[in-house]
């Protein structure tokens, strides 16, 4: 059975939950509401949560026979740029999490792989991996400022919303350029 060292987690870290005051009897419940700073690199290429931004945690910690079930909602700001027009995106996002954290030396050590179930380290739970999974997997890989964003003109790079309806970059094929002279009137 693998042994997990409780010395690897800092109980003062904002995303580490201490369960000492949660009885290890199935059904015991504790609610946690707190605001924590967002960790670094919480996002994808075009969009994510700014490092240090306030994340609102509204969680329930419930004792179950094999560990602690953490469920609830995490809300915070997301910042990025539109994948079509590169305009800034400033929104708020709420994600739900539900993760089981097994007690040390519980039967889950023998019945599950190391990365299948979260593991408690002593009385501590590291919420960051579950937060990262829930939030990053919810973010769009190609975010849009709005559903019907027309994007940019591929020729001049100006946003289509800022261009007149008749905007075009019509180019005459050089092989046919001589024919365009036939339609011109002599001056």
């Amino acid at each position: 059975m693998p042994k997990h060292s409780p010395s690897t987690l800092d109980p003062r870290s904002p995303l580490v939950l201490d369960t000492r005051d949660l009885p290890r009897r199935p059904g015991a419940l504790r609610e946690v509401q707190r605001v924590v700073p967002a960790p670094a690199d919480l996002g994808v290429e075009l969009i994510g949560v700014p490092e240090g931004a306030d994340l609102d945690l509204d969680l329930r910690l419930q004792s179950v026979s094999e560990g602690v079930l953490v469920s609830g909602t995490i809300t915070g700001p997301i910042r990025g740029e539109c994948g079509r027009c590169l305009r800034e995106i400033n929104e708020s996002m709420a994600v739900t999490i539900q993760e089981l954290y097994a007690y040390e030396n519980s039967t889950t050590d023998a019945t599950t792989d190391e990365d299948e179930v979260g593991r408690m380290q002593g009385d501590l739970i590291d919420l960051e991996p579950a937060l990262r999974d829930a939030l990053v997997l919810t973010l769009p890989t190609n975010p849009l400022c709005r559903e019907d964003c027309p994007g940019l003109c591929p020729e001049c790079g100006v946003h289509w919303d800022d261009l007149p309806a008749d905007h075009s970059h019509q180019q005459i094929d050089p092989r046919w350029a001589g024919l365009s002279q036939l339609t011109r009137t002599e001056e």
Side-chain angles (χ1 to χ4, degrees), residues 69-89:
L69 179 66
V70 177
S71 57
T73 306
I74 299 172
T75 309
I78 57 172
R79 306 281 181 265
E81 58 186 28
C82 178
R84 287 187 189 156
C85 70
L86 305 178
R87 287 191 175 160
E88 190 174 323
I89 297 174

Side-chain angles (χ1 to χ4, degrees), residues 171-187:
Q171 295 181 3
I172 299 174
D173 187 327
R175 296 172 293 180
W176 298 99
L179 293 176
S180 67
Q181 300 299 323
L182 297 175
T183 59
R184 289 192 182 157
T185 58
E186 294 202 22
E187 295 176 17

Side-chain angles (χ1 to χ4, degrees), residues 16-73:
V16 171
L17 304 175
D18 191 343
T19 63
R20 280 182 290 186
D21 60 347
L22 180 67
R24 288 195 174 201
R25 136 183 115 252
L29 179 69
R30 189 177 115 213
E31 293 190 2
V32 174
Q33 283 95 22
R34 67 168 77 155
V35 177
V36 300
D41 300 321
L42 192 57
V44 292
E45 188 175 343
L46 292 176
I47 196 163
V49 177
E51 183 176 357
D54 287 345
L55 295 176
D56 295 315
L57 307 181
D58 186 11
L59 305 173
R60 289 175 42 149
L61 281 61
Q62 183 174 9
S63 288
V64 294
S65 59
E66 290 299 313
V68 176
L69 179 66
V70 177
S71 57
T73 306

Side-chain angles (χ1 to χ4, degrees), residues 126-184:
D126 185 8
L127 192 61
E128 186 173 341
L131 163 81
R132 191 170 294 283
D133 287 349
L135 199 120
V136 173
L137 292 174
T138 305
L139 291 172
T141 54
N142 189 24
L144 299 176
C145 59
R146 64 178 205 259
E147 281 298 316
D148 63 341
C149 176
L152 304 174
C153 172
E155 298 293 325
C156 61
V158 176
H159 197 281
W160 279 110
D161 286 341
D162 300 337
L163 294 170
D166 62 344
H167 177 76
S168 77
H169 294 274
Q170 183 179 7
Q171 295 181 3
I172 299 174
D173 187 327
R175 296 172 293 180
W176 298 99
L179 293 176
S180 67
Q181 300 299 323
L182 297 175
T183 59
R184 289 192 182 157

